[in-house]
Amino acid sequence: MRGRRNDGPAVRDVPFAATWISPQARRAARRVLASGWVTTGPETGHFETEFATYVGARHAVAVSSCTAALELSLRGMRLPPGGAVLIPDITFCGAAQAILHVGLRPVLVDVDPRTAMPTPETVARAARACGCPHALMVLHYAGAPAPVADLAEAARLPLDRVVEDAAHALGTAVGDRPVGSLSRATCFSFYATKNLPIGEGGMITTDDPRLADWLRRARLHGMSLDAWRRNLPGGTWRYTVDEPGLKANMTDVQAAIGRAQLRYVETWQRRREEVAGRYDEALKGVVGVEPLEVTTAGRHARHLYVVRVREGYAADRDALIARLAENGIGTSVHFTPLHRMPLFVTAALTPPGGLPGADELFPELLSLPLHPNLDDADVDRVCDELGRYQGDC
């Protein structure tokens, strides 16, 4: 595909996201397919061990998606039916649906429009609104480090009542601690656009061995033995089920791809940081397009590059999206606030006074292309178009 600048010459399109599956991952998938065992088995176990080591956690449990990871992590907390779970108003809808699937109630937390993330003050306000929250879901938005301990303290909850939504945060660190080892359970995504792309899949990391054992059963219907262990030499067909579980296991094909892709994460991370730095520098000269602030010390995974299209820019956010698309530049918006979706108007609790930070930010939110396959010329073209649009209007 080629975009055009008005009637000028064709130029290379800049996709919002691009998935690259390494040659090693392709070979690993073929090896598993040839092995005769393609569902959960030894590859999944190896991937769990290697991933846990990478993020500094004692245990990792591979599952079918980050949404399943969030649901299983909440189920493992044994919260009372209808219990209140604090969740950012600006987050992916699947995170809030995980709360509903467990029979709990989302309580929406406002965000700071400068960062798109909750603050201790907005968490405390939401906690007061519901009286006594039972758990807190923390999102490391765009890969930025969230102050997990400070938010838990504001909610008056211990860290073992915190689930981290780390769908954006493989490679993030809060202070000097990698995300994946901070709370009771941390949930990662391996969707096609994520920092470790497999296509689909997720992972739960925890330092609690009992939770890890329970998750391994719960991800496969609650069965005491999975098929791999039943078919090992000396294994038995017998198993039992003590409580309901999900069908949420990862396959060995996915795990083999993930193991190979994991070798590239640090290389990809460095390129993401270079791209983000180039955006930072170029956008200093574009009035009205402001990158989000990062206020917590640590490492940013640079999953997304999010800006605010502010007053003073030549057009509003939606007009800019259309202009960029016409010129072959992909963008997105992360995310529509939950309180603006019909389901959560009734299913979630909104604190008194509403969610003014999310309402201020949402019309301005814009995610620019950011992935390791971008070259410097791609980034320059995006920034040139942002600046040129001002001049054309």
Side-chain angles (χ1 to χ4, degrees), residues 14-16 320-322 324-325 329-334 366-369 382:
V14 182
F16 173 70
L320 177 57
I321 288 173
L324 293 172
I329 296 172
T331 58
S332 191
V333 173
H334 296 83
L366 178 63
S367 298
L368 301 177
V382 175

Side-chain angles (χ1 to χ4, degrees), residues 2 22 101 137-138 161 196 201 205 214 223 258 315 392:
R2 297 281 168 172
S22 67
H101 293 164
M137 189 178 291
V138 173
R161 290 295 183 91
L196 195 162
T205 60
W214 180 86
M223 296 164 61
D392 287 353

Side-chain angles (χ1 to χ4, degrees), residues 309 313 315-333 363-368 386 389:
V309 182
Y313 190 66
D316 64 21
R317 187 267 314 276
D318 291 347
L320 177 57
I321 288 173
R323 163 76 173 229
L324 293 172
E326 289 171 1
N327 286 279
I329 296 172
T331 58
S332 191
V333 173
E364 302 174 345
L365 274 177
L366 178 63
S367 298
L368 301 177
L386 290 169
Y389 194 11

Side-chain angles (χ1 to χ4, degrees), residues 17 19 25-26 31 45 54 86 90 133 141 166 206 295 303 326 390:
T19 302
R26 295 167 191 260
R31 172 175 52 78
Y54 180 76
L86 305 177
I90 291 186
Y141 179 85
T206 182
T295 59
H303 173 59
E326 289 171 1
Q390 279 196 309

